[in-house]
Amino acid sequence: MNEILLYIAAGLALVTILVHSIVGEKRLITPLVNSDHGVMEADLAKQVVRFAWHFTSIIGLIAVYILFDAARDFAAADTALLSITGGAFLIAGIYDAIATRGKHIGWPLLAAAGFLTILTLYI
């Protein structure tokens, strides 16, 4: 059962990260980088914004790997690492829901991935 929940959590996180990278690039990063207002007048700022956006996705993929790896062999999983990973997803989802008043599409998936991950530690 724990393995199934972790696979689901990893899948939810993976979908969220892929949408973050692909849709975020199209709807947020490209228009932002194409603007020449304020700090975005500098080429360095444009490069850093795009880099930071996609580096966040890479970090997310590392978290997905942690979940998939734990699902493959739950008995050998590092429970502290699962707690941290699940807690990070859950807190991010809750914060996103509050900060955007539920309007951002990512919060339910982030929160669900975190909840399912933490749940595996208690069932």
Side-chain angles (χ1 to χ4, degrees):
M1 178 66 160
N2 289 338
E3 293 85 354
I4 293 169
L5 294 177
L6 284 172
Y7 280 126
I8 293 169
L12 292 171
L14 181 61
V15 167
T16 304
I17 290 158
L18 292 175
V19 169
H20 171 267
S21 193
I22 296 165
V23 175
E25 174 66 36
K26 182 178 178 180
R27 290 190 175 180
L28 180 66
I29 300 304
T30 297
L32 185 61
V33 168
N34 289 338
S35 74
D36 287 323
H37 302 290
V39 70
M40 296 311 288
E41 291 177 8
D43 286 338
L44 178 61
K46 294 176 182 190
Q47 292 166 350
V48 168
V49 164
R50 179 166 275 132
F51 166 78
W53 185 264
H54 293 294
F55 187 64
T56 303
S57 295
I58 292 168
I59 293 169
L61 291 175
I62 294 167
V64 168
Y65 175 79
I66 290 167
L67 298 177
F68 271 119
D69 190 53
R72 281 190 302 215
D73 188 3
F74 186 75
D78 182 337
T79 57
L81 188 56
L82 281 178
S83 295
I84 292 166
T85 304
F89 276 116
L90 183 59
I91 290 167
I94 291 169
Y95 175 82
D96 190 24
I98 293 168
T100 66
R101 297 182 182 171
K103 294 178 185 173
H104 186 254
I105 63 171
W107 79 263
L109 297 175
L110 291 169
F115 175 76
L116 291 174
T117 301
I118 292 170
L119 182 62
T120 65
L121 301 171
Y122 296 98
I123 61 170

